[in-house]
Amino acid sequence: MSCCAPGADGFAGGVQSLPSDDEVRFSARNLGDGVFQTELSVPAVHCGACIRSIEAGLGRLDGVEAARVNLSTRRVTVRWRGEALPPIVATLARLGYAPTVFDEPEGEKDRTLSELLVAVAVSGFAAGNIMLLSVSVWSGAEGATRDLFHWVSALIALPAMFFAGRIYYRSAWGALKHGRMNMDVPIAIGITMAYALSLYETIHSGPHAYFDASVTLLFFLLIGRSLDHVMRERARTAVKGLARLAPRGALVIGAGGARDYLALSEIEPGMRLLVAAGERIPVDAVVEAGLSDIDRSLVSGESAPQKVAEGDAIQAGTLNLTGPLTLAATARAEDSFLAEMLRMMEAAEGGRARYRRIADRVSAAYAPVVHLTALATFLGWMAATGGDWHRAVTVAIAVLIITCPCALGLAVPIVQVVAARRLFEHGIMVRDGGAMERLAEADVAVFDKTGTLTLGHPRLQNLQQIAPEALAAAAALAANSRHPLSQAVAVYDEGKGPVFEAVAERPGFGVEGRAEGSLWRLGRAEWARGDGASGEVADEGTVLSRDGAVLARLEFDDAIRPDAREALAELEDRLGPVEMLSGDTARACRRVADRLSIAHVEAGLMPADKVARIEALARQGRKVLMVGDGLNDAPALGAAHVSMAPATAADIGRNAADFVFLRDSLSAVPVALDVSRRAGRLVRQNVALAIVYNVFAVPVAILGYVTPLIAAVAMSTSSIIVIANALRLGRVRR
Amino acid sequence: MSMLIYLIPVALFLGALALLAFLWALRSGQYEDLDGAAERVLLDDEDEPQTPAKR
């Protein structure tokens, strides 16, 4: 990574495969006049220097007309001209910002946000102007002047009610139609009644009009709603921008040998596909020709790459590591392994579907109470005044306005926005506020092994037992290969090894090269020792050999994520028991579990077994936090009460997870727990504050002492108190 | 109270002006990248204003 600020290191990147030029070309949008626009996601961008190096680097390329980085969404938009695609991907990768392609239905982009912002602006304009007029009325304007002010207020408020209020009307109507209650129902009823009453008062030259209250209320609530939306949208686009594991399409070999890049949905069983080294397998297929190693870690949880040759079946989503493969597709994209996982996820939809957000639960109880109180007030005043309906309606509407749920409509989103911001600073993205509430409840943590507790790529383990010269030679040779084991060795390349010539990668075996008059091989033991090794027992290890003589034996294990031990200890302490469920072999699991001192381990699990285990825990009344990354974890992520995934996870897993953490360190899990619990405390405090406020304000309103002035003051004060309380989360406690 | 005849329209006009300015800023994409705008001010090179994105 080429950048400056701390925190840049450890962002997911590095090991991901780059999108091919075919894929980028395919996703480019034609703007006409031979100009194309390509949007790429660059998750590693995070500061001004990054903007400059990317824009300058891309701007220098031939054919590129303009390059613009968007730091908020971590994307770069490149406009280019001509037939051939400029080397955008290669340039970005060289600069240290590995790009990824993403899907996005056009036109849908943030229409909701624009609508909300316009609504905030209109209601803010109306609220400000009406408040100016209202202050004049409260300070003593009378007679014709007061009536004039009321009329002007009514005129200003009308478009605001229609334009800004329609968001609430729509939502409230949607809820009522389905026989449900949400926060928007009392809001919609409250502002409409207040407006209607005020209009009536104005027509009859009455002294009290509530135009300011209804529009100010709308303004405050819309701010809360916009914040909520911005937070969710931001997390969503950032998650979307990470590597997509299913390619958009594949190179198909036609009848006459012609090669075409077809979209994933157009690939039919029987088609012959060409998958280069370093690309993902698009659909379930059988190898027709070629020899390679396949990384299945995201699909099955197995940590060691697997050799494939002619006739082997491979699943969609696995990564082709070393050699080009010609495949015959056996299933369509929607029938492939990936889609099967999706179906399992739907079937396993667990505690999450049943969970209702605190705000929704409170509002379901709150709205009827408010309406009943207002109705009772109306009836009470009718009885007490002997049928003075005007007085009764006025007081009842004052009750509605006073009880309008500002605290819940504004303070809960603000707590969650501040909390999400906190999490974002720690490299954690959260799907929505409900996820934080669920995380705060979790009482057992379940981890996947490969890619979650470990980084999912191997590390040289027996460094001390290898002679320095042998290591230097192995590293120099390994630098020529993209096999994960080679890359783990190539880290130690300091340019001290011999200079190799005629280097060749032998898919399924290893890499070989000539230097100092000998043939050096790094790879599978029986291959590296040459053909004469037949008499011995099968040897699976990795060795470095020179003319068939073994120089060094290399042992690998999967690197454990930084801070994993501390994070797990903290979780055991504060959350509850920690378990490990893995699809890998019992031996590999045991090694990791021993190092992290995890007591409960289950190995060799199929995706359905993981779901079964989580459901068994749920039946015992436990709330499960599932942390996992693979395709095979996706159903389990969906079944758990709350779930987390690293950014390197399969995209289906990332979409299923409530939280996604961007950095390598596993300390993200306790951090998320801590922030969620504090946010949960603040939400409950705010609800309590709102109740206390109502305990004082409602009797005053019922007794008929509320004037527009008192309503405005009470409403603003309660809003400010709950917002101030929410902002306490802003202070970091570390 | 006759000054109200022109003072109220003046106040509303100024408010509406601010509203239009905000809507213009929104439409011309100035809220698309708030973090980026904060950083770009520190870049030395001649930075041309963003051409309105064709969406």
Side-chain angles (χ1 to χ4, degrees), chain A residues 14-20 275-280 292-295 305 319-324 457-458 477-490 503-507 510-511 522:
Chain A
V15 288
Q16 293 161 0
S17 56
L18 295 173
S20 72
V275 178
E279 289 183 2
R280 293 260 167 203
S292 182
D293 296 274
I294 294 287
D295 179 356
L319 179 63
N320 181 16
L321 289 169
T322 46
H457 41 94
L477 194 54
N480 297 296
S481 159
R482 63 194 332 164
H483 192 282
L485 295 184
S486 302
Q487 285 178 349
V489 180
V503 178
E505 181 147 33
R506 304 274 177 238
V511 55
L522 176 69

Side-chain angles (χ1 to χ4, degrees), chain A residues 427-446:
Chain A
I428 305 165
M429 292 179 297
V430 56
R431 178 179 300 276
D432 62 21
M436 286 190 251
E437 294 169 14
R438 280 182 277 125
L439 179 57
E441 288 180 355
D443 56 6
V444 52
V446 174

Side-chain angles (χ1 to χ4, degrees), chain A residues 155-185:
Chain A
L155 279 181
I156 304 173
L158 191 63
M161 301 290 290
F162 273 119
F163 195 77
R166 69 172 175 202
I167 293 170
Y168 286 94
Y169 292 133
R170 213 159 46 201
S171 160
W173 175 240
L176 285 178
K177 222 166 43 181
H178 294 98
R180 286 182 292 112
M181 262 300 186
N182 65 10
M183 226 29 146
D184 298 334
V185 177

